[in-house]
């Protein structure tokens, strides 16, 4: 790991007592926290946390481990927009908790769901969290505010913490240090944050999250973000556009992705990725196609076998007539 520049090297929020105020009325309860940790199989006997520990090196180690277990248990998926009659995404913190943890049905959500859940969980554990929005850049241009992430401040250093960008997202907290290189799990893929000064001093500069397969590849810009706190109402507007606009790929493509955690390595080693009708497994840089779904029965079976997601009859019927419905014959090898 290295830094390629000295611009800037510390977190933007230096007076954390003024910047972060966690309202206990908005936190998850102790019972909810315990249920979540049990659901993701987090090693609670090995890692301890408190508001005091959360501001130390041990707090960073706890956060790093918690992020891995979240990514390996809670998938990035948009099934609610296809396998339901309502096609409505709720960002209410308790609705998300019930969907992911209480149902115990393998469900997750897209960025604004998964990062809302994880951010509220971190706040409830005593971490100092600022939710923010990001502009996705993968299509070659800015997609507007369509992604969410969390900024977490530990001992005067701010970190990007994102559990909602799918299989290409960061696997650990990334310090807001220009050019600092981190790894994607235990692989050769590299990640970094790059800071760009504003053209006009009236506005703030932007951070860009970049990745490359290895040192021999060029960097790819994934998304950019500023240091502005976003409110729940901001995310409601973003989520409505993301889930309803006909130009939003979430409305015409099914995705379900979950990372693979190697507990012996104590790190992420790959991901299972369902995109449309194709299921792939990527481990340590090697990708293989596991299944090609020809119809809905086969895709429902893939979701159950590889993600632990059991869709109800009502949910399965919900995709009837959708552009994403699979209507072909059966194939073997699923």
């Amino acid at each position: 790991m290295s830094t390629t520049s000295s611009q800037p090297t510390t977190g933007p929020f230096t007076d954390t007592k003024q910047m972060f105020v966690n309202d206990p009325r908005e936190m998850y309860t102790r019972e909810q926290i315990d249920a979540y940790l049990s659901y993701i199989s987090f090693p609670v006997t090995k890692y301890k946390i408190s508001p005091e520990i959360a501001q130390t090196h041990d707090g960073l180690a706890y956060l790093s481990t918690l992020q891995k277990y979240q990514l390996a248990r809670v998938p990035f998926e948009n099934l609610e927009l296809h396998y339901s009659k309502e096609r409505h995404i709720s960002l209410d913190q308790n609705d998300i908790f019930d969907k992911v943890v209480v149902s115990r049905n393998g469900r997750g959500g897209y960025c604004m769901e998964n990062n809302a859940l994880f951010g509220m969980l971190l706040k409830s554990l005593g971490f100092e969290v600022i939710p923010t929005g990001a502009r996705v850049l993968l299509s070659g241009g800015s997609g507007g505010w369509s992604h969410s992430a969390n900024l977490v401040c530990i001992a005067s250093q701010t970190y990007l913490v994102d559990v909602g960008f799918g299989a290409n997202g960061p696997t650990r907290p990334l310090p807001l240090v220009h050019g600092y290189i981190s790894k994607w799990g235990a692989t050769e893929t590299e990640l970094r944050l790059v800071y760009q000064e504003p053209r006009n001093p009236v506005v703030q500069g932007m951070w860009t999250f970049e990745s490359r397969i290895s040192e021999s590849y060029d960097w790819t810009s994934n998304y950019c973000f500023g240091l502005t706190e976003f409110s729940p109402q901001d995310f409601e507007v973003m989520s409505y556009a993301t889930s309803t606009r006909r130009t939003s790929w979430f409305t015409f493509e099914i995705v379900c992705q979950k990372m693979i955690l190697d507990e012996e390595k104590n790190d992420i080693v790959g991901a299972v990725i369902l995109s449309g009708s194709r299921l792939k497994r990527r481990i340590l840089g090697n990708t293989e196609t596991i299944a090609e779904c020809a119809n809905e029965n086969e895709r429902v079976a893939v979701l159950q076998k590889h993600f632990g997601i059991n869709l109800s009859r009502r949910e399965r019927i919900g995709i009837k007539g959708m552009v994403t419905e699979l209507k072909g014959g059966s194939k073997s090898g699923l």
Side-chain angles (χ1 to χ4, degrees):
M1 298 183 184
S2 63
T3 56
T4 59
S5 171
S6 59
Q7 290 282 337
T9 58
T10 60
F13 308 122
T14 56
D15 189 348
T16 58
K17 291 183 179 179
Q18 293 183 13
M19 290 301 304
F20 301 94
V21 179
N22 288 346
D23 187 342
R25 295 171 299 178
E26 299 176 352
M27 303 297 105
Y28 286 137
T29 65
R30 183 70 250 179
E31 290 74 17
Q32 286 177 306
I33 293 172
D34 290 342
Y36 167 86
L37 295 175
S38 173
Y39 179 70
I40 67 171
S41 302
F42 187 76
V44 293
T45 57
K46 184 177 180 179
Y47 296 93
K48 304 296 182 183
I49 196 64
S50 70
E52 293 74 26
I53 295 176
Q55 279 302 305
T56 68
H57 179 75
D58 288 340
L60 178 60
Y62 184 98
L63 171 59
S64 300
T65 303
L66 190 68
Q67 182 173 354
K68 296 171 191 174
Y69 276 81
Q70 158 86 16
L71 291 169
R73 187 66 177 94
V74 182
F76 170 77
E77 50 101 337
N78 66 343
L79 302 180
E80 201 74 22
L81 298 179
H82 304 272
Y83 289 102
S84 71
K85 294 185 176 181
E86 295 79 11
R87 314 197 201 293
H88 171 68
I89 303 294
S90 173
L91 298 185
D92 177 83
Q93 66 186 51
N94 288 311
D95 287 348
I96 300 173
F97 187 88
D98 289 346
K99 175 186 177 182
V100 174
V101 180
V102 177
S103 72
R104 303 187 74 84
N105 193 29
R107 293 301 300 274
Y110 61 20
C111 64
M112 282 164 271
E113 297 174 273
N114 288 357
N115 278 320
L117 171 72
F118 199 65
M120 184 56 64
L121 190 280
L122 294 180
K123 287 184 180 180
S124 304
L125 291 171
F127 287 93
E128 298 170 339
V129 182
I130 288 286
T132 193
R135 295 172 177 150
V136 177
L137 305 173
L138 289 175
S139 60
S142 172
W145 299 114
S146 60
H147 182 60
S148 72
N150 289 305
L151 302 175
V152 181
C153 189
I154 299 177
S156 298
Q157 174 64 61
T158 304
Y159 297 84
L160 171 69
V161 179
D162 186 355
V163 296
F165 200 63
N168 294 321
T171 59
R172 60 194 57 156
L174 301 181
L176 268 62
V177 177
H178 176 79
Y180 184 91
I181 296 176
S182 181
K183 292 290 187 180
W184 191 94
T187 73
E188 294 303 311
T189 296
E190 296 183 328
L191 314 173
R192 71 178 182 182
L193 295 176
V194 176
Y195 181 74
Q196 183 175 357
E197 294 283 356
R199 296 180 180 179
N200 189 315
V202 173
V203 298
Q204 62 176 303
M206 299 293 286
W207 289 90
T208 300
F209 165 56
E210 299 184 339
S211 62
R212 63 182 180 184
I213 297 175
S214 68
E215 292 183 0
S216 60
Y217 284 79
D218 293 332
W219 289 97
T220 297
S221 296
N222 297 291
Y223 60 78
C224 64
F225 61 94
L227 302 181
T228 300
E229 181 176 11
F230 276 49
S231 71
Q233 291 76 18
D234 294 325
F235 291 124
E236 287 286 351
V237 174
M238 291 166 57
S239 182
Y240 181 78
T242 301
S243 63
T244 61
R245 291 177 63 197
R246 284 183 290 180
T247 54
S248 170
W249 70 268
F250 283 100
T251 65
F252 54 80
E253 184 174 342
I254 286 177
V255 63
C256 188
Q257 305 176 357
K258 188 166 62 174
M259 296 191 189
I260 300 170
L261 175 65
D262 186 321
E263 295 191 16
E264 291 187 3
K265 294 179 181 292
N266 190 31
D267 213 343
I268 299 294
V269 295
V272 180
I273 304 166
L274 174 67
S275 180
S277 61
R278 178 172 297 177
L279 180 72
K280 294 183 178 181
R281 181 186 290 119
R282 187 179 73 202
I283 296 182
L284 297 175
N286 298 313
T287 302
E288 63 173 332
T289 297
I290 303 174
E292 287 278 4
C293 305
N295 55 50
E296 282 305 320
N297 287 337
E298 293 180 356
R299 185 157 61 187
V300 167
V302 161
L303 287 169
Q304 194 284 324
K305 179 179 179 180
H306 296 277
F307 298 93
I309 296 175
N310 294 291
L311 296 175
S312 67
R313 180 178 181 276
R314 187 176 188 276
E315 289 171 326
R316 295 197 302 270
I317 292 176
I319 201 170
K320 295 294 184 181
M322 292 283 289
V323 67
T324 47
E325 180 186 7
L326 297 177
K327 302 177 180 180
S330 62
K331 291 183 178 181
S332 60
L334 298 173

